Amino acid sequence: MHAIYARLAVYKASCGCLGRVKPVSRSAPHTLDKDSTAWTKTPPLQGKVMAFTKDTRVQLSDGHTMPVLGLGTYAAKTVPKSVGEEATKVAIELGYRHVDCAYIYGNEVEIGRAIRAKISDGTVKREDIFYTGKLWCRFFSPDMVRKALEKSMSDLQLDYLDLFIMHYPVSIKPSGPEIYREDDEIYAYDNVDFCSTWEVLEACKDAGLVRSIGVSNFNRRQLERLLNKPGLKYAPVCNQVECHPYLNQKKLTEFCKSNNIVVVGYSVLGSHRDPNWVDLSTPVLLEDPILIAIGKKYNQPAAVVAMRYVLQLGVVVLAKSFSPERLKQNLQVFEFELTAEDMKTIDGLNKNLHYGLFLIMKDHPEYPFHDEY
């Protein structure tokens, strides 16, 4: 704790937490194309991030584009599903065009209904929305992959998904519990090779059920194995991972960029503090005095500073909120740019702290978080 306040004192002395914001000419995560709506694929770390807007999209390796800001829709079981449904409608009205969900969240029916409602009332067209779904670990067996995708499509009532990703690199047996609870037996580990799962995802893309395919929570070693798979037809367009100032994922991001894989960050605000998934003794990111001080400099809350930091790392930001006020507030991420000094200061907060370690799977041979990155 003393170290944190020492860094805070140095930061205040060097730049003044309430000082004038100075424009910078630091390199940005990706350049923008001429119409400022999509990141170009190469070269990385070029251009100015201030050009980002809520309409900015990153270009994926397969030619499709993904909005750089997305709405996360996970919620604890204590939150009524209708709350997420209404929040999704509000988000779309505010200009969000990227919606991230998953089968295991148990709310694809409601999220799909919200999307279709905003299409029906003319707020958006289907092609304006970028929807990400996830293949849960119990459906990795090749004969179950397409069925799982079609289940999500049916629940959502969408003709295709924009992106479908493997939720984790681990597989569990369909006969065991679907999601861990304290009163459940332990997950029944399976040994499905995710490379065989990937082949079916490639076929689903060819069939037009999904436009892009990717992965989530893969470490470097697992990504290398997939990229080096004999007969690989499509490389993963993205790797969705936990990313925030306490876990900035710089090494993994550098590797992904070198292989034209977009990094998408979840839990950018720290964590949802769900005791089923998170150790509640871990520090609360948004209470960090460094982030609060930097926020005062820009007249922004710590949450928006954390989002902007991740964005300037070259990572697509997923931010979950069901509050209309905070959904609107999160769009302030496009109203300012962190200086090079600010970025360096926030870099110093990195602790390689995973809030979501998924420890119930720690003995699985494909558990991703034993590796450094």
Side-chain angles (χ1 to χ4, degrees):
M1 200 65 183
H2 293 298
I4 291 176
Y5 285 100
R7 290 200 305 274
L8 179 57
V10 170
Y11 171 73
K12 287 181 176 179
S14 64
C15 63
C17 69
L18 297 176
R20 179 177 177 270
V21 179
K22 298 179 181 180
V24 295
S25 58
R26 69 180 294 276
S27 57
H30 299 266
T31 56
L32 296 171
D33 67 8
K34 62 183 179 181
D35 62 5
S36 295
T37 58
W39 279 338
T40 55
K41 292 184 286 185
T42 57
L45 301 176
Q46 299 293 323
K48 290 187 176 181
V49 292
M50 199 61 182
F52 288 163
T53 73
K54 62 182 174 62
D55 299 315
T56 303
R57 288 175 172 248
V58 58
Q59 187 170 343
L60 305 175
S61 61
D62 63 2
H64 295 296
T65 60
M66 173 194 291
V68 297
L69 175 64
L71 173 70
T73 60
Y74 171 83
K77 292 186 180 297
T78 54
V79 178
K81 295 178 182 180
S82 59
V83 174
E85 180 176 349
E86 292 306 310
T88 302
K89 292 178 185 177
V90 171
I92 293 173
E93 291 168 358
L94 288 170
Y96 288 77
R97 295 294 180 262
H98 181 172
V99 179
D100 180 88
C101 196
Y103 163 82
I104 201 62
Y105 297 173
N107 59 356
E108 285 193 305
V109 169
E110 291 75 19
I111 301 304
R113 192 158 56 215
I115 292 171
R116 298 195 318 277
K118 301 322 292 178
I119 293 173
S120 295
D121 71 10
T123 302
V124 291
K125 298 178 181 178
R126 171 63 186 94
E127 57 266 29
D128 297 329
I129 296 295
F130 187 97
Y131 181 87
T132 298
K134 303 182 185 77
L135 179 69
W136 186 235
C137 308
R138 74 185 311 188
F139 304 128
F140 278 19
S141 178
D143 64 326
M144 301 184 73
V145 175
R146 178 163 177 160
K147 294 176 184 177
L149 172 55
E150 290 174 336
K151 167 64 174 169
S152 285
M153 292 170 62
S154 175
D155 286 348
L156 293 158
Q157 290 293 290
L158 296 178
D159 293 333
Y160 67 90
L161 302 193
D162 297 274
L163 175 65
F164 198 51
I165 61 180
M166 298 175 68
H167 208 145
Y168 284 91
V170 300
S171 61
I172 57 177
K173 292 182 178 179
S175 57
E178 182 163 76
I179 185 167
Y180 174 74
R181 295 185 302 272
E182 288 185 3
D183 58 345
D184 273 334
E185 59 181 300
I186 195 168
Y187 278 133
Y189 293 172
D190 208 347
N191 60 353
V192 178
D193 182 352
F194 58 68
C195 286
S196 65
T197 305
W198 187 256
E199 291 176 357
V200 185
L201 289 175
E202 291 177 322
C204 289
K205 175 176 168 66
D206 284 337
L209 302 180
V210 59
R211 292 189 167 179
S212 300
I213 52 177
V215 298
S216 181
N217 296 302
F218 274 49
N219 60 35
R220 173 176 178 159
R221 177 174 48 82
Q222 291 162 335
L223 287 170
E224 286 179 330
R225 195 165 105 226
L226 182 56
L227 291 170
N228 292 322
K229 185 186 85 67
L232 182 73
K233 188 171 186 179
Y234 303 115
V237 300
C238 72
N239 186 21
Q240 186 181 127
V241 296
E242 182 179 344
C243 185
H244 46 75
Y246 288 169
L247 180 68
N248 64 29
Q249 299 280 17
K250 281 195 170 185
K251 290 183 178 180
L252 184 60
T253 299
E254 181 180 356
F255 172 79
C256 287
K257 286 182 179 179
S258 70
N259 286 278
N260 209 12
I261 298 171
V262 170
V263 176
V264 180
Y266 67 80
S267 293
V268 297
L269 303 181
S271 91
H272 41 70
R273 314 301 291 183
D274 184 337
N276 290 317
W277 298 97
V278 176
D279 180 356
L280 297 184
S281 69
T282 53
V284 178
L285 176 70
L286 301 186
E287 295 176 0
D288 189 284
I290 296 286
L291 295 179
I292 293 171
I294 293 176
K296 289 180 179 178
K297 174 180 174 181
Y298 297 94
N299 194 28
Q300 297 289 351
V304 176
V305 172
M307 291 171 60
R308 184 70 199 193
Y309 171 73
V310 173
L311 183 65
Q312 288 186 212
L313 290 176
V315 174
V316 171
V317 170
L318 299 178
K320 180 262 172 182
S321 178
F322 289 167
S323 160
E325 293 77 18
R326 288 181 180 171
L327 286 169
K328 185 175 181 180
Q329 174 184 275
N330 287 346
L331 293 176
Q332 294 169 195
V333 71
F334 301 113
E335 297 178 1
F336 70 106
E337 179 180 358
L338 294 169
T339 65
E341 292 88 350
D342 294 331
M343 290 295 291
K344 184 176 181 180
T345 299
I346 301 175
D347 283 344
L349 298 179
N350 184 56
K351 312 173 189 292
N352 291 320
L353 171 63
H354 284 266
Y355 284 107
L357 277 171
F358 203 23
L359 289 175
I360 195 65
M361 299 298 291
K362 65 181 174 61
D363 295 324
H364 194 290
E366 292 291 358
Y367 182 74
F369 305 135
H370 291 315
D371 293 27
E372 179 189 359
Y373 69 97

